[in-house]
Amino acid sequence: MRAVRSTRVLPAMAAAALLLAGCSSGGGASDSSAGSAVGTEGGAAQGRTATALQPLPAAIPANLSSYYAQKLDWQSCDQGFECATFKVPLDYANPAGGDMTLSAARKPAGGGTKAQGSLLVNPGGPGGSAIEYLESSINSFDPGLRAAYNMVGLDPRGVGRSSPVVCLDGPKMDDYTATDTTPDDQKQINALVAADKEYAAACQKQSGGFLGHVSTTESARDMDVLRALVGDSRLNFLGKSYGTFLGATYAGLFPTRVGRMVLDGAIDPSLDALAGNQTQASGFEIAWSAFAKDCVTHDDCPLGRTEQQAGAEIDALFKRLDAQPLNTDSGRKLTESLATAGVIEAMYADFLWPSLRTALAAAKAGDGSALLKLSDNYYERSADGSYANLMPANTAINCLDTPAPFTGPEDVQRALPTFEKASPHFGRDMAWMALSCTYWPYKATGMPHTIRAAGAPPIVVVGTTRDPATPYVWAQALAGQLESGRLLTYDGDGHTAYQRNNACIDSAVNGYLLAGNDPGQGARCAK
């Protein structure tokens, strides 16, 4: 899925990786929403001191007991799956203040064996639907996993089928995603600020007060309610991209309730939004370099015959699009910002590189259609012009999880040299995209923190060395923070590693989830 730190580029990323673009949710629990204490712990990113996420009391509070006592009514749905809904408090600090309804789906364990329990999965985002992910990818999971576990997808609050965040309609989203995110003068800066403000205002108008209660900490607490309702004493969990932050947060709050947990494409929760965005920018630059080196070895590469030529060619294309967007077969224009999103989309997986070569060749010849299609995939725009819930949820969750990196355009301008150094090809774009949380109507409830999860069983953290959306250094950092962290490295390209046709990674992950085989510290798999 996408990645996480900037909001326009969905982490997760927009391609989110979205990139997001990244607005990642690096922040965490606040005292009010989590009900947990924070301590001070050294050794956080870049030598800063970050708060340490402390576990919640082991006993379930009396004012939450009714939520933990619900009975799930699983009903057949979606071609072989079962679906159910359940209630959680809108605000864990004030359970009497109202409820939210969350949706989950499961594929019951098969093979005639007794289930080991449930395995919750989350694909990332934030904003990716776990239900859609589970239903679309169920056959890609190891048959042994499907036989042993009830496979469960829970859409977090604000996502998919769980009270989804709603913002702009399709046509207005088209305008928003096409907004110039590399402004050259004050007029263009003002236009970008106005677009971000309009987006935030629409989210507030369409979604209302629950926008203040879609944080990762609250979603982690929701997972504990579901853990109890499915009858498990411990939570077994597979999280990818932003899902690693969700899972790690759960482990920090409920370390003694962790079962077998795998976190693939990890987020470093100790980073503030500025440091996270800058690190992610460098991750996309590393991925671009890998693509460029591969591209120039192919006869159909439209970017020259050296990596340096490829970089100059992509910069020149972006510059031309900034001045004159291209026509497409859809009737929409391919702007520089949309082209950048299209290129970023292809950084998520190396199997998209041939499509990117073709799209760039067409764009150089004057047709922006193929590159626009990659951009639409990034933003999850359908052919009918509608958008999925990914981007609204991504923004809402990220803006609550950690304070905005900038207070206004002047901050962005001061940070541009650092971003451009981290990523000569995407840094400027990613810096300006990170401005969006500045105008969010709800104050962040989370702060950067470390997660120790003392007392939890081994937690496997998977990192890919050239992952664009969740850079490898984030996996190293998270595995180092967790008392029982086990770093499993994939020396390869693309975003996340499990279920991407690497037998070494898949064997290690499946072995742990099925039999508890600890991969140990420092295991490594090659491409």
Side-chain angles (χ1 to χ4, degrees), residues 183-232:
D184 302 311
D185 54 36
Q186 191 59 48
K187 181 179 179 180
Q188 292 180 353
I189 291 174
N190 292 344
L192 176 58
V193 169
D196 283 338
K197 288 181 176 180
E198 179 185 7
Y199 183 76
C203 296
Q204 184 176 30
K205 179 180 179 180
Q206 297 296 327
S207 299
F210 83 84
L211 280 182
H213 293 285
V214 293
S215 71
T216 296
T217 294
E218 289 162 313
S219 289
R221 299 191 69 169
D222 297 339
M223 289 202 306
D224 194 58
V225 174
L226 181 58
R227 172 203 57 77
L229 299 187
V230 299
D232 289 350

Side-chain angles (χ1 to χ4, degrees), residues 31 61 87 97 117 168 313 329 343 419 450 494:
D31 292 74
K87 302 287 188 180
L168 298 171
E313 287 287 338
D329 58 13
V343 173
F419 273 86
T450 57

Side-chain angles (χ1 to χ4, degrees), residues 56 60-61 63-72 74 85-90 92 100 102 104 120 154 157 217-233 235 250 254 257:
L56 291 168
I60 296 170
N63 61 357
L64 296 179
S65 60
S66 63
Y67 295 101
Y68 281 81
Q70 297 174 84
K71 301 296 182 182
L72 294 176
W74 294 104
T85 61
F86 62 101
K87 302 287 188 180
V88 293
L90 174 66
Y92 277 91
M100 292 185 75
L102 304 185
L120 267 69
L154 166 64
R157 50 175 68 200
T217 294
E218 289 162 313
S219 289
R221 299 191 69 169
D222 297 339
M223 289 202 306
D224 194 58
V225 174
L226 181 58
R227 172 203 57 77
L229 299 187
V230 299
D232 289 350
S233 59
L235 178 79
Y250 180 91
F254 306 103
R257 296 178 196 164

Side-chain angles (χ1 to χ4, degrees), residues 146-371:
R146 288 183 275 134
Y149 285 105
N150 296 315
M151 305 291 290
V152 179
L154 166 64
D155 279 355
R157 50 175 68 200
V159 175
R161 303 181 191 179
S162 295
S163 303
V165 176
V166 178
C167 297
L168 298 171
D169 62 19
K172 289 185 178 179
M173 274 296 293
D174 283 346
D175 293 338
Y176 184 56
T177 58
T179 303
D180 189 347
T181 49
T182 57
D184 302 311
D185 54 36
Q186 191 59 48
K187 181 179 179 180
Q188 292 180 353
I189 291 174
N190 292 344
L192 176 58
V193 169
D196 283 338
K197 288 181 176 180
E198 179 185 7
Y199 183 76
C203 296
Q204 184 176 30
K205 179 180 179 180
Q206 297 296 327
S207 299
F210 83 84
L211 280 182
H213 293 285
V214 293
S215 71
T216 296
T217 294
E218 289 162 313
S219 289
R221 299 191 69 169
D222 297 339
M223 289 202 306
D224 194 58
V225 174
L226 181 58
R227 172 203 57 77
L229 299 187
V230 299
D232 289 350
S233 59
R234 291 176 176 266
L235 178 79
N236 302 305
F237 182 79
L238 169 65
K240 295 187 174 186
S241 194
Y242 160 80
T244 68
F245 180 54
L246 180 59
T249 300
Y250 180 91
L253 296 174
F254 306 103
T256 61
R257 296 178 196 164
V258 173
R260 293 172 186 169
M261 180 172 285
V262 175
L263 308 177
D264 181 15
I267 304 275
D268 178 1
S270 74
L271 294 177
D272 61 30
L274 180 60
N277 275 303
Q278 290 172 344
T279 308
Q280 192 174 56
S282 69
F284 277 96
E285 193 67 25
I286 290 170
W288 165 261
S289 178
F291 165 76
K293 289 176 181 177
D294 177 77
C295 182
V296 299
T297 68
H298 294 272
D299 292 338
D300 65 343
C301 181
L303 302 177
R305 286 293 171 261
T306 68
E307 182 182 351
Q308 292 71 26
Q309 288 176 343
E313 287 287 338
I314 197 67
D315 288 343
L317 176 61
F318 288 158
K319 185 175 182 180
R320 289 196 298 273
L321 290 170
D322 190 28
Q324 185 63 53
L326 287 178
N327 292 325
T328 70
D329 58 13
S330 69
R332 296 155 59 209
K333 296 284 188 178
L334 177 72
T335 64
E336 179 193 14
S337 59
L338 291 172
T340 301
V343 173
I344 286 172
E345 167 71 8
M347 297 300 100
Y348 277 83
D350 53 6
F351 67 78
L352 292 174
W353 290 359
S355 297
L356 180 58
R357 294 198 302 269
T358 300
L360 291 174
K364 289 186 66 178
D367 182 0
S369 303
L371 204 49

Side-chain angles (χ1 to χ4, degrees), residues 18-45:
L18 215 186
L19 249 190
L20 197 151
C23 208
S24 174
S25 292
S30 69
D31 292 74
S32 60
S33 66
S36 61
V38 294
T40 300
E41 181 171 303

